[in-house]
Amino acid sequence: MEDIDAIAVLQDRVRRRLYEYVAAQGREVGRNEAAEAVGVARTLAAHHLDRLTEAGLLESGSRRLTGRSGPGAGRPAKVYTRARAERSVSLPARDYRTAAELLAEAAEQAGLDAGLCAAARRRGEALRGSAEPCGGLEEAMEMLAARGYEPHLEGTESAEGAEGATGAAGPVVRMRNCPFHAVAERFPPLVCGMNLALLEGMLGADGPVRARMDARPGECCVVVEASKNNDD
């Protein structure tokens, strides 16, 4: 299916709400849960979820939602997750991805990492404008959501700090989407460093939150947390 046809599937309001709900969970979602979340009947939800799967926007599988196995555990239920493939439409046709990859390749070969990070930090500061540094994790999540990062708050029991000291840690903001994913896959050190610098500029230096690297499969390589000087 062409990208434009796949995206057109989201024109239906119920279908789009189901897609957005599944995408926001970051895990497998069953039909009953999805139907309840958007307030529609299970049969209608099943129809739209399968249509989204046919369009390549969702991926489906099956598992027992009860968590049990063996006799009496019940039949496996159909579950859905957001598809890994990217979809984009540009009218008229544009190819910014190739340009970005060529620029990243040239920057990497020329050893321009520091210059790229400096430019990214300046761009982040420009996006923040005259505003004070980000005031907290809730405000940071609003900023990140507006930039397409799909942030979610995750509590941690223990974590290794930036300096290597292990101890108790508070919640961190992780991001299910990297807006630079396609280029970051080919040039991870360069693009992830650029991404970190961009967010540092957006959040502001010496504020109550900070960005740091903490790569995890399937998510953005950067997390946001309370600054150490604000842990008191």
Side-chain angles (χ1 to χ4, degrees), residues 52-221:
L52 289 164
T53 303
E54 292 169 6
L57 297 172
L58 296 181
E59 294 176 357
S60 65
S62 62
R63 66 178 178 88
R64 288 187 173 92
L65 299 178
T66 61
R68 303 194 304 270
S69 60
R75 296 175 57 188
K78 200 163 187 179
V79 292
Y80 303 83
T81 56
R82 179 167 59 182
R84 291 182 289 270
E86 267 184 40
R87 299 284 187 174
S88 62
V89 174
S90 178
L91 299 173
R94 297 288 187 263
D95 191 4
Y96 299 114
R97 175 174 171 174
T98 296
E101 289 178 346
L102 289 171
L103 290 168
E105 181 178 354
E108 188 174 75
Q109 291 179 353
L112 299 178
D113 303 53
L116 176 61
C117 287
R121 191 170 287 104
R122 290 194 298 270
R123 174 59 64 90
E125 292 169 350
L127 291 171
R128 179 165 51 89
S130 59
E132 294 294 321
C134 182
L137 293 182
E138 185 175 341
E139 183 179 338
M141 291 180 69
E142 292 177 0
M143 295 172 61
L144 294 166
R147 303 296 302 179
Y149 284 92
E150 298 183 8
H152 64 102
L153 197 62
E154 181 178 280
T156 57
E157 296 177 358
S158 64
E160 185 171 336
E163 288 74 37
T166 301
V172 297
V173 175
R174 292 189 176 273
M175 294 163 268
R176 293 194 175 98
N177 182 51
C178 173
F180 316 110
H181 173 72
V183 187
E185 278 196 319
R186 289 197 57 189
F187 307 96
L190 181 77
V191 178
C192 290
M194 176 201 76
N195 187 26
L196 175 61
L198 177 71
L199 293 182
E200 287 175 338
M202 285 177 57
L203 297 173
D206 302 321
V209 298
R210 66 163 185 165
R212 65 174 174 85
M213 287 286 193
D214 188 9
R216 194 161 75 175
E219 295 190 349
C220 178
C221 59

